[in-house]
Amino acid sequence: MMQLYRSRMLGWAAGLAMVAGIVSVTGAQQPEHGRKYKPLPDLSHIVVTVVKGYDGKPMPHAAVVFHATMNGRDDGNLEVKTDPEGKATIDVIEVGSDVSVQVIANGFATYAQNIHVVGPEKILEVRMMRPREQISQYQDNIDKAADLKPGVQEPPNHVLPPAKPAGDQPLTPPPSTPAPQTPQTPQTSSPQ
C-alpha cells in the first residue's frame, strides 16, 4: 500500500515538474511579455556650500532648492537644508541635467544660478550677500545698498487720529485743499 502511495506521489511530482518546465520554456521564448529591465541612470553627487559673503562663515539652516530638467523633461523640485557646516548634499540628479539652484536664507538676498551637471560630482560655493537695491535694466544698480533695511518690506503706514464719537456734534465737511489755478493767458487775435 505504501509503495502504491509513493508511486502516485512520484507520478504527480514528475507531472508537475514537466508542466512547470514547459511553462517556463514557453514564457522565456516570448520576449514581449514580462517586465523589462531598465538600468538606473548615472547620478551626480552635488555639494552646495553656503557661506556669508562678508565674513565667509558657514550658514546653517539655509534652504537650497534644486530644480532639474533633462532634455526638456521637468524632473521636479527638491529642497535641502544646509547642515551646521553650511553644506547641502544631494545624490538624485541625473548626469547631463540642467539644474537651477536657488538659495534662500533669512536676512540675505536670494541667490540663484543655473548649472549644467556633466560629471559624477559637482561642487558649488555660494556667498550670500545682504539685500541690495532691485536690479533694473534702465539703471546701473550694481553694488548699491538697499533703500530699506533687512526685514522691512514697506514704509510704515500713517496712523489716523482716533474718530470722535458721534453725538450731538454737527457734521462738518473735511477741510478741502484749493484746486490749483492755471494762469490764464490773454488770447490775442491774429490778423487775417
Side-chain angles (χ1 to χ4, degrees):
M1 179 83 155
M2 194 61 127
Q3 277 186 340
L4 182 61
Y5 180 71
R6 281 188 198 161
S7 64
R8 283 186 182 173
M9 291 303 282
L10 288 175
W12 277 100
L16 285 175
M18 188 176 353
V19 169
I22 292 171
V23 169
S24 67
V25 170
T26 58
Q29 293 176 355
Q30 297 176 359
E32 69 272 356
H33 294 291
R35 186 172 176 171
K36 306 240 184 324
Y37 172 72
K38 184 177 179 183
L40 292 175
D42 293 332
L43 301 177
S44 180
H45 177 78
I46 300 174
V47 178
V48 177
T49 304
V50 182
V51 296
K52 296 175 186 173
Y54 55 88
D55 64 0
K57 290 184 179 178
M59 291 186 60
H61 307 295
V64 181
V65 180
F66 299 91
H67 182 99
T69 56
M70 176 110 172
N71 299 329
R73 181 187 78 226
D74 185 4
D75 289 336
N77 293 333
L78 301 165
E79 180 180 333
V80 179
K81 295 283 187 178
T82 55
D83 62 9
E85 290 143 13
K87 294 186 180 197
T89 306
I90 192 165
D91 294 322
V92 295
I93 295 179
E94 294 180 44
V95 172
S97 295
D98 292 318
V99 181
S100 173
V101 178
Q102 185 178 24
V103 182
I104 304 168
N106 287 336
F108 291 89
T110 301
Y111 173 88
Q113 180 180 353
N114 292 326
I115 59 173
H116 184 72
V117 181
V118 291
E121 187 171 19
K122 184 77 172 181
I123 297 175
L124 180 66
E125 181 175 305
V126 175
R127 299 184 75 78
M128 298 296 286
M129 304 301 287
R130 292 288 182 190
R132 300 284 179 205
E133 195 170 314
Q134 186 171 357
I135 296 173
S136 171
Q137 66 180 2
Y138 304 107
Q139 298 177 10
D140 182 21
N141 292 336
I142 297 174
D143 292 331
K144 286 186 182 176
D147 292 336
L148 302 174
K149 299 293 180 200
V152 177
Q153 301 299 317
E154 297 178 358
N157 294 334
H158 298 291
V159 178
L160 298 175
K164 295 181 181 179
D168 294 334
Q169 299 173 357
L171 295 175
T172 58
S176 61
T177 58
Q181 296 179 358
T182 57
Q184 295 188 7
T185 58
Q187 295 181 356
T188 60
S189 61
S190 60
Q192 295 179 345

